[in-house]
Amino acid sequence: MIRNHLHTAVATALLASVALVGCKKKEEPVVTSTPPATEPAAPAPAPAPAPVATVTVTTVDLGPTVGADKKVASPTATFKPSDTINASVGTTTSDPATAVPAKLGAKWTFQDGQTVKEDTADVNFAGPGQTVFTISKPGGFPTGKYKLEVLLDGAVVQTRDFEVK
């Protein structure tokens, strides 16, 4: 009888364990994913070079007198033979904080193409400014038509026609 009880107990334990295993919820397989391969990031583009500051001729005025601000007091295009003729050339730079070295010039010619005078100045431009070029003739200028060419680094950037009467 003890044996029967033992067999029954073992059989019951075996059935219970089979039942437990059979009732156990099936576990979902754990799926691990690897992130998709990424291409290495493209290198950041090199910063664009800073624009080079430039100088521009903004105004050209002719007149017999120039004020303390280097501007022509009364612009005109007609002069007397005994007048001193001034050209006030206004300039500005694209970046007022940066000095821009350049050559500013004035070429004065008579109506027949003869050069009366040529001037050049090496200037470190910074922001707005004025440069004055002057011509005079102790015996007086011949009457006729004249031309002023304003040059920046050798290139004509503005012209003014004037007359001596």
Side-chain angles (χ1 to χ4, degrees):
M1 184 138 177
I2 292 182
R3 235 180 171 173
N4 265 347
H5 280 286
L6 184 59
H7 283 295
T8 307
V10 170
T12 305
L14 185 61
L15 278 175
S17 62
V18 169
L20 277 176
V21 169
C23 290
K24 186 175 179 183
K25 190 174 184 181
K26 185 175 181 182
E27 289 184 21
E28 295 291 324
V30 177
V31 178
T32 58
S33 65
T34 58
T38 58
E39 292 182 24
V52 176
T54 58
V55 62
T56 305
V57 172
T58 56
T59 60
V60 177
D61 291 320
L62 299 173
T65 59
V66 176
D69 60 357
K70 296 185 179 181
K71 292 183 179 180
V72 170
S74 299
T76 186
T78 306
F79 298 89
K80 295 183 259 176
S82 60
D83 282 344
T84 295
I85 303 170
N86 297 288
S88 175
V89 180
T91 55
T92 192
T93 57
S94 59
D95 180 0
T98 303
V100 180
K103 286 188 182 289
L104 188 63
K107 181 178 179 182
W108 309 82
T109 56
F110 188 54
Q111 63 194 10
D112 63 3
Q114 175 187 356
T115 299
V116 176
K117 184 178 180 185
E118 286 188 77
D119 286 320
T120 59
D122 290 322
V123 182
N124 277 322
F125 297 96
Q130 296 292 129
T131 305
V132 176
F133 295 100
T134 302
I135 60 170
S136 61
K137 188 166 184 184
F141 289 103
T143 58
K145 297 184 186 252
Y146 292 78
K147 179 187 279 191
L148 166 67
E149 294 178 330
V150 177
L151 299 97
L152 184 61
D153 289 330
V156 176
V157 292
Q158 299 236 1
T159 62
R160 293 293 179 270
D161 293 321
F162 62 98
E163 189 171 1
V164 174
K165 292 184 179 184

